[in-house]
Amino acid sequence: MLEIKNLHASVDGREILRGIDLVIRPGEVHAIMGPNGSGKSTLANIIAGRPGYEATAGEVLFDGKSLLELAPEERAREGLFLAFQYPVEIPGVNNLYFLKAAVNAVRKHRGEEELDALDFLEKVQQRAGLVKMDESFLKRPVNEGFSGGEKKRNEILQMTVLEPKLAVLDETDSGLDIDALKVVADGVNALRSPERAFLVITHYQRLLDHIVPDVVHVMVDGVIVRSGGPQLALELEEQGYSLYGRAEGESRRAQA
Amino acid sequence: MSDDAKRAAAPDALGCATDWLGRAEALAAALPAPLRFDELRAGARGELLQRGLPNRRQEVWRTVDLNGFRAQEFAAAAAPRPVDAALLDGLDGALRLVLVDGHYVPSLSRRTALPAGVTVAPLAEVAAERPQLLAALGDVPAWNAEPFSALNTANFTDGVVVHVAAGVQLDETIEIALLSSEDTAAHPRLLVVLEAGANARVTELQRGRGRYFSNPVTEIRLGEGAQYRHFVLQDESRSAWQFASVHAELAAGAQASLHRCMLGGLIGRVDLTLTLAGAGANATLEGLALAADGQLLDSHLTVRHAVAHGESRQTFRGVLKGKSRHVFDGLIRVEQDAQKTDAQQQCRNLLLARMAQAQAMPRLEIFADDVKCAHGATVGELDETALFYLRSRGIGEAEAKALLVRAFAGEFLDGLDDAGWRERLEARIDAWLEA
């Protein structure tokens, strides 16, 4: 489903990713762990097409199509979803309206008719229940005045409504208490299916207690230094990243 | 004809290619008796002769270059010319008064039976039949001398009068259309008088085709506790000049809510003066300017708190694309007796192009010591992060931009209590973005 070959990427002219190779098949859940500043979020943003993040070499294929040449909206319409590390507040744009515009943009791309307003509302209400989000949030402007946990839940709500083929979760667990963490995990687990894949980026192992990955990758300094089964996450939790030449939590940015 | 040649072609005493004063004098002699208002018009001509048209050395006019306007010749349309009925799109109520080139056009208008105590009629008709209703004409204080208001006073031949007797509520929205045809100058005059406790609502559309000059003046006088809402869609041609004036005066406890969306005009300017003359009066002024390449949209507002316990809110927004300019100059003046005044003023601008230019000049003049006044101005660009967020969910770039611009304009749209107009305006914003 996702095939990344020798990906190099820069932000503001500084090379962050230095040759990433990664293959994710339908139905799989991959986790990428690594210290701060290792390039995890850069990888997520490159996949989603964030302006300012530049792939300098290599390729990213999504269902065989080259992703790097597509605009962010085209990637989303092809079935890609990024849960933002820092969800954006958009004053004046109603959450439900935003969801509807997104769903209909994707449906239009697939040659499907726009959803009937009532069917849509019913679907969103059902998914809001799944992520334990009060319906009043649907009427509020996107993320405006939401707490950190509410914003992350709103990301998961969008994911469950948009039903992507591949969802990338960029540190969705950061800043969440254990209850909110379970909500996020339940949202992901409810969507797990043989046709769908997930890339879960996290700094800590605890999210992976609830979303059990098929493969865990360790990223340090812009390269994947090790891949393994779920037990690798537990190992990292005990030993930190020092095995890979880095102290736990130590950042290349901080060193710079 | 080149601009220079036009300027040389028999300029009048005001330095314009169009002989405004000569035309006004000829008109004064030719008007039917009820419309003469000799003293009022002579005063206006005198003011024009003495002060001339404004120039950039005058503080409130330094933002506008009038040379292009001075060089233009505009015809005085003795009668309305035929116009495209599509210009009336959006007005579909049962009570609609249409003026073309400053003249009332019965065939485009709709009159309906009105409750006792309500007059909604062409100004010339009211002048002939019930001149006592025109006592306020030319009497609502303008505060700042406004030459284009005087130009209208010297030249108007018709307009609309709205008069609502004490305690009467008019449920029907009054629709007014000021249309212009090519090459003309129009000086329509609107007079709105709401007596104590009266309630009325006006929706006004300003449109035309091609090059012309539109010079409307609106006078609003609200009695004690009267409630008035007025929405203007200034959708003039992009080759037109519009210099509009609004003078309003509020008695104690009166509430005025004036909304103006501006899209049209090579130069589109409004000078608005509002006086809170009675205790506890409340004024809400909201504006939305959508300026496209080559345009200057300019709002000059003066809100004068003359007595205590007045409340006023000015919220103006500009969205600019291409090489365009938006000027907002807002003055809150709080007189010595106007204690406990609560006045706020805000101007926010969203620039969609590098060449666009927004100027916000919020000003306070406060002579009382126990007041609450605030003002602010911002200029910004579209939030790239928000744009990416929307696009990352599958929403196309153009639609995402439209969503963000509509969100920026949202408070203005929310202020329109007519759902139909809100939708029309949203569609207009989308079309404007795409154009």
Side-chain angles (χ1 to χ4, degrees):
Chain A
M1 174 172 284
L2 185 76
E3 206 174 335
I4 300 176
K5 294 176 194 164
N6 189 33
L7 179 66
H8 289 249
S10 302
V11 181
D12 295 331
R14 204 161 60 93
E15 185 168 63
I16 307 287
L17 300 184
R18 302 184 296 131
I20 300 282
D21 291 284
L22 181 66
V23 175
I24 302 178
R25 291 177 191 83
E28 291 181 348
V29 174
H30 287 234
I32 294 187
M33 301 184 70
N36 288 328
S38 58
K40 306 186 299 291
S41 285
T42 299
L43 178 63
N45 283 308
I46 281 278
I47 293 172
R50 190 186 198 108
Y53 287 72
E54 194 196 351
T56 50
E59 61 179 347
V60 180
L61 299 177
F62 184 50
D63 281 343
K65 279 185 200 170
S66 175
L67 210 53
L68 298 175
E69 285 145 31
L70 300 180
E73 58 268 34
E74 292 169 325
R75 302 180 194 204
R77 291 169 193 168
E78 292 292 336
L80 182 75
F81 181 89
L82 171 66
F84 280 51
Q85 184 178 4
Y86 304 108
V88 183
E89 296 192 13
I90 310 184
V93 176
N94 172 290
N95 213 8
L96 190 65
Y97 185 90
F98 163 60
L99 272 171
K100 199 173 169 188
V103 166
N104 283 331
V106 173
R107 291 182 72 90
K108 194 176 161 196
H109 175 71
R110 291 186 195 147
E112 295 167 358
E113 277 189 24
E114 291 198 354
L115 267 186
D116 170 78
L118 273 178
D119 291 346
F120 174 75
L121 187 62
E122 205 171 299
K123 179 175 178 176
V124 173
Q125 283 170 336
Q126 191 260 329
R127 301 298 150 92
L130 188 72
V131 298
K132 299 190 170 59
M133 180 185 265
D134 192 277
E135 278 180 33
S136 65
F137 283 89
L138 297 174
K139 292 176 195 134
R140 287 171 52 179
V142 179
N143 293 326
E144 194 184 36
F146 288 24
S147 72
E150 287 160 354
K151 284 180 183 172
K152 295 297 176 77
R153 265 185 236 198
N154 202 23
E155 295 293 289
I156 299 304
L157 171 67
Q158 291 167 35
M159 181 183 79
T160 58
V161 170
L162 287 167
E163 300 172 345
K165 285 190 225 164
L166 172 67
V168 180
L169 278 65
D170 186 8
E171 299 206 18
T172 301
D173 54 337
S174 64
L176 294 189
D177 61 29
I178 191 67
D179 292 332
L181 198 70
K182 276 184 183 153
V183 165
V184 167
D186 288 348
V188 170
N189 290 329
L191 276 194
R192 278 181 90 153
S193 85
E195 297 82 40
R196 192 170 280 136
F198 293 86
L199 179 60
V200 180
I201 289 169
T202 182
H203 189 70
Y204 302 105
Q205 183 270 336
R206 59 175 192 164
L207 179 64
L208 305 180
D209 286 342
H210 304 282
I211 306 172
V212 180
D214 299 299
V215 188
V216 175
H217 308 275
V218 182
M219 188 189 278
V220 177
D221 287 348
V223 288
I224 290 176
V225 293
R226 200 176 155 197
S227 300
Q231 79 290 345
L232 182 55
L234 297 167
E235 219 173 88
L236 282 170
E237 185 72 3
E238 275 172 28
Q239 300 169 356
Y241 296 106
S242 52
L243 273 179
Y244 309 100
R246 300 283 299 278
E248 159 69 34
E250 193 184 349
S251 167
R252 202 153 47 121
R253 258 171 301 189
Q255 289 170 343
Chain B
M1 211 188 301
S2 75
D3 279 1
D4 284 345
K6 276 186 183 166
R7 209 167 296 140
D12 78 342
L14 302 178
C16 296
T18 306
D19 183 8
W20 298 114
L21 277 173
R23 188 178 289 181
E25 271 162 25
L27 183 73
L31 280 167
L35 268 178
R36 291 183 68 129
F37 302 102
D38 283 330
E39 203 178 321
L40 185 67
R41 292 185 196 263
R45 289 197 303 273
E47 195 182 311
L48 280 171
L49 194 58
Q50 190 195 344
R51 305 170 69 100
L53 285 189
N55 60 59
R56 303 185 82 165
R57 290 187 296 278
Q58 288 161 271
E59 175 62 22
V60 294
W61 285 92
R62 74 185 161 85
T63 53
V64 185
D65 182 355
L66 284 176
N67 283 335
F69 171 76
R70 285 175 202 272
Q72 303 291 319
E73 282 184 73
F74 299 104
R81 299 180 185 176
V83 290
D84 184 350
L87 291 174
L88 287 170
D89 278 358
L91 296 189
D92 42 24
L95 180 56
R96 173 172 98 180
L97 281 83
V98 179
L99 277 81
V100 176
D101 303 331
H103 301 278
Y104 175 65
V105 182
S107 62
L108 294 175
S109 304
R110 294 182 197 144
R111 311 271 294 265
T112 179
L114 295 169
V118 178
T119 301
V120 179
L123 190 142
E125 182 186 307
V126 175
E129 294 172 9
R130 281 191 290 165
Q132 71 277 12
L133 296 185
L134 299 182
L137 192 77
D139 195 46
V140 178
W143 186 240
N144 281 325
E146 289 175 40
F148 284 100
S149 183
L151 188 65
N152 174 291
T153 300
N155 284 287
F156 76 88
T157 54
D158 211 340
V160 175
V161 174
V162 174
H163 194 282
V164 184
V168 177
Q169 167 161 349
L170 179 63
D171 294 321
E172 191 78 51
T173 298
I174 301 162
E175 297 181 337
I176 297 172
L178 307 180
L179 308 183
S180 289
S181 66
E182 182 101 35
D183 296 330
T184 55
H187 311 274
R189 187 86 175 199
L190 273 49
L191 176 65
V192 177
V193 177
L194 267 55
E195 292 183 352
N199 188 325
R201 179 160 69 183
V202 168
T203 292
E204 180 185 343
L205 184 61
Q206 303 167 345
R207 274 195 189 135
R209 293 256 198 267
R211 184 202 69 109
Y212 58 86
F213 171 45
S214 169
N215 176 218
V217 170
T218 303
E219 290 179 283
I220 300 165
R221 176 164 279 166
L222 304 184
E224 282 188 18
Q227 290 188 28
Y228 182 61
R229 296 179 67 85
H230 191 147
F231 166 60
V232 176
L233 178 59
Q234 190 274 73
D235 196 12
E236 304 279 17
S237 150
R238 292 265 297 275
S239 323
W241 279 264
Q242 190 201 63
F243 294 104
S245 307
V246 179
H247 313 305
E249 186 178 49
L250 279 59
Q255 291 182 20
S257 186
L258 310 178
H259 306 252
R260 188 179 190 87
C261 177
M262 293 158 278
L263 290 148
L266 193 59
I267 296 178
R269 166 155 170 152
V270 60
D271 285 87
L272 185 148
T273 308
L274 183 142
T275 307
L276 296 136
N282 181 314
T284 302
L285 308 177
E286 296 209 2
L288 174 65
L290 303 175
D293 197 45
Q295 283 185 294
L296 164 63
L297 298 177
D298 187 342
S299 301
H300 273 68
L301 274 54
T302 303
V303 171
R304 181 175 167 239
H305 287 258
V307 297
H309 297 284
E311 193 177 314
S312 68
R313 296 283 179 272
Q314 303 171 44
T315 315
F316 271 61
R317 275 155 216 271
V319 185
L320 293 86
K321 63 178 189 179
K323 192 178 175 185
S324 62
R325 279 172 71 206
H326 175 227
V327 175
F328 171 83
D329 182 324
L331 168 66
I332 300 172
R333 186 180 163 99
V334 182
E335 304 290 359
Q336 204 169 347
D337 292 335
Q339 302 294 359
K340 306 285 181 192
T341 284
D342 179 355
Q344 286 181 26
Q345 180 188 64
Q346 257 237 334
C347 180
R348 294 177 58 196
N349 283 290
L350 179 62
L351 305 183
L352 302 179
R354 292 251 172 262
M355 300 292 277
Q357 201 188 10
Q359 281 168 275
M361 291 163 281
R363 294 184 286 141
L364 295 173
E365 287 178 7
I366 301 174
F367 300 96
D369 51 20
D370 182 13
V371 300
K372 205 162 82 182
C373 292
H375 63 179
T378 62
V379 178
E381 293 172 19
L382 267 188
D383 182 347
E384 287 296 330
T385 319
L387 196 58
F388 172 61
Y389 191 65
L390 294 171
R391 293 176 71 190
S392 79
R393 298 302 182 243
I395 300 170
E397 188 174 7
E399 193 189 346
K401 278 185 181 169
L403 258 177
L404 293 176
V405 171
R406 269 196 251 147
F408 176 80
E411 219 174 299
F412 181 85
L413 296 168
D414 291 346
L416 301 179
D417 57 359
D418 181 323
W421 271 104
R422 198 165 51 232
E423 271 173 37
R424 264 178 227 126
L425 210 50
E426 282 183 348
R428 193 73 182 79
I429 291 171
D430 291 355
W432 178 84
L433 280 168
E434 282 163 24

